[in-house]
Amino acid sequence: MSTNDTTDDADSTDRTDTSNTTGSTDLDAGSSSKCGASTAGSTADSASTADSGSTTDSASKCGGSNGAATKREATDERVGSSADDFAADPGRLVAVGLGPGQPDGMTARARAALSAADHIVGYTTYIELLPEDVVESAEELYDTPMCGEVSRTEEAIDRALAGNDVAIIGSGDPNVYALAGLALEILESKGATAEAVDFEVVPGVPAAQSCGARLGAPLVNDTVSVSLSDHLTPMDEIESRLHAVAPEGFTIAIYNPWSRKRRENFETCCDILLEHRDPETPVGIVHGAGREDERVEIVELGELEDLGETDLIDMTTTILVGNAETYVWDDRMVTPRGYESKYDY
Ligand SMILES: C[S@@+](CC[C@H](N)C(=O)[O-])C[C@H]1O[C@@H](n2cnc3c(N)ncnc32)[C@H](O)[C@@H]1O
């Protein structure tokens, strides 16, 4: 398992964040204590639900609260172990998609899964987006403000293996550039099984769909998603994927579009799209869908690159590039499904 771990999460690299390494590899995933990770607990003591069977007790293995009275207490505790280190019966592990941001964008199933969880683990921004009643009902919240996905996911898994019912959360859907796959990979690497922790994915509304809804109907026909993050996929591979889909009839949803360290990726993406598509192709830009700072713009492809240098486009933005049929009507993007070729209306 890699030890270098850069978060890909929305908000992690927005242009107002000067305290962190924007879009770069940040901290060692194997060192959650360096992440400024915080465990926030109520009165629960995770030692009561876990017995690691190793030399440390479960509270120290799992960042247990030790009866902490507040939900914002820093911890130096470190997790990291194999399934065999835990003698207790495992709890559950649920990967929950929060949708775009505000509580009313969350599915009822996601909310129920969060209410049922003893521990909720996530990137700080997502923990902060949780509804108050969910925060109140959780025994512990564990968040990492600037550390990466691997340490956080491992933390969630160790807590589940120690006997706790755990939800690991993220924006949108856990299957879209998110942690569902990583959770299964780490479970496997620890010698655990998905069945042992009753692993489940609770879907959420992905950013492309939340943003599509704000723009009208841009996604009604074939759509592909491309992430411009070169943290896990080399840029030359991203470029060849863009070349592959740009000439086709797809609407393209662009995730992770811009950060200070990825501005060249964005420029390259715009150049490739313009090689294949008309500069007048409609492009929808949604920043912070469902959040307080939501902004929605419809522009033309030829204008897109310059907008990378404005605060409309950052790591909480999703861009939807229309296909050759997409047009703008009444301030809405419309991608025809093809009904007009079969029916009179
Ligand atoms: C690591 S990906 C996570 C995607 C998420 N799992 C999903 O299903 O939408 C992060 C990217 O999702 C997009 N994103 C997430 N939340 C968003 C929001 N509220 N508005 C617009 N884009 C968002 C941005 O492109 C961001 O860079």
Side-chain angles (χ1 to χ4, degrees):
M1 197 60 59
S2 160
T3 54
N4 281 327
D5 181 13
T6 304
T7 182
D8 235 6
D9 300 310
D11 312 317
S12 62
T13 56
D14 87 310
R15 70 185 70 231
T16 56
D17 176 7
T18 52
S19 63
N20 194 8
T21 51
T22 304
S24 67
T25 298
D26 41 30
L27 297 173
D28 181 347
S31 307
S32 31
S33 62
K34 290 183 196 159
C35 301
S38 63
T39 296
S42 55
T43 55
D45 180 354
S46 49
S48 64
T49 53
D51 175 6
S52 71
S54 63
T55 53
T56 52
D57 68 19
S58 60
S60 62
K61 279 215 157 291
C62 295
S65 67
N66 295 320
T70 77
K71 293 209 172 186
R72 295 274 164 219
E73 183 172 307
T75 179
D76 281 342
E77 287 154 344
R78 161 88 182 94
V79 296
S81 50
S82 76
D84 291 341
D85 292 330
F86 296 90
D89 289 338
R92 296 194 69 214
L93 180 62
V94 187
V96 181
L98 301 183
Q102 305 293 39
D104 64 3
M106 201 184 292
T107 67
R109 201 173 147 209
R111 202 160 178 143
L114 293 173
S115 297
D118 303 328
H119 296 191
I120 302 176
V121 175
Y123 178 59
T124 304
T125 299
Y126 305 147
I127 293 283
E128 286 170 353
L129 288 170
L130 290 173
E132 203 50 44
D133 59 301
V134 168
V135 172
E136 292 298 322
S137 69
E139 286 174 12
E140 289 187 23
L141 306 174
Y142 180 90
D143 64 288
T144 54
M146 62 180 76
C147 230
E149 307 93 290
V150 175
S151 59
R152 202 184 315 131
T153 306
E154 189 172 8
E155 173 83 28
I157 288 170
D158 281 354
R159 284 168 180 251
L161 291 173
N164 304 292
D165 289 341
V166 180
I168 183 163
I169 62 170
S171 72
D173 183 87
N175 260 298
V176 181
Y177 307 120
L179 301 180
L182 182 61
L184 288 170
E185 290 173 52
I186 295 177
L187 272 171
E188 185 183 5
S189 80
K190 283 177 176 286
T193 64
E195 197 179 339
V197 293
D198 200 7
F199 178 75
E200 188 186 0
V201 176
V202 175
V205 182
Q209 276 63 34
S210 303
C211 296
R214 294 294 187 276
L215 290 159
L219 302 175
V220 176
N221 216 329
D222 296 339
T223 300
V224 294
S225 299
V226 178
S227 165
L228 298 190
S229 166
D230 56 4
H231 164 45
L232 299 169
T233 307
M235 193 56 201
D236 56 359
E237 173 59 27
I238 295 171
E239 285 178 36
S240 57
R241 291 177 193 181
L242 281 166
H243 275 296
V245 297
E248 307 293 338
F250 301 116
T251 298
I252 304 174
I254 300 173
Y255 282 75
N256 302 303
W258 193 100
S259 69
R260 277 188 293 268
K261 291 219 168 162
R262 290 183 190 143
R263 52 163 42 102
E264 277 179 26
N265 298 7
F266 182 70
E267 288 160 15
T268 302
C269 169
C270 293
D271 290 345
I272 292 172
L273 292 172
L274 280 169
E275 268 180 49
H276 300 280
R277 296 198 178 189
D278 193 308
E280 293 182 0
T281 304
V283 173
I285 304 171
V286 181
H287 176 278
R291 303 196 193 171
E292 281 173 6
D293 58 350
E294 178 180 292
R295 286 174 63 190
V296 180
E297 300 269 346
I298 299 176
V299 302
E300 294 183 350
L301 181 57
E303 304 170 277
L304 186 58
E305 185 171 334
D306 287 345
L307 292 170
E309 296 304 314
T310 70
D311 56 12
L312 178 62
I313 299 181
D314 63 19
M315 292 297 275
T316 51
T317 303
T318 299
I319 298 171
L320 302 180
V321 181
N323 70 19
E325 310 296 322
T326 304
Y327 61 95
V328 179
W329 174 76
D330 206 13
D331 286 334
R332 268 57 167 187
M333 278 175 83
V334 184
T335 299
R337 173 84 173 83
Y339 290 106
E340 76 288 354
S341 62
K342 291 227 161 201
Y343 300 95
D344 285 330
Y345 51 86

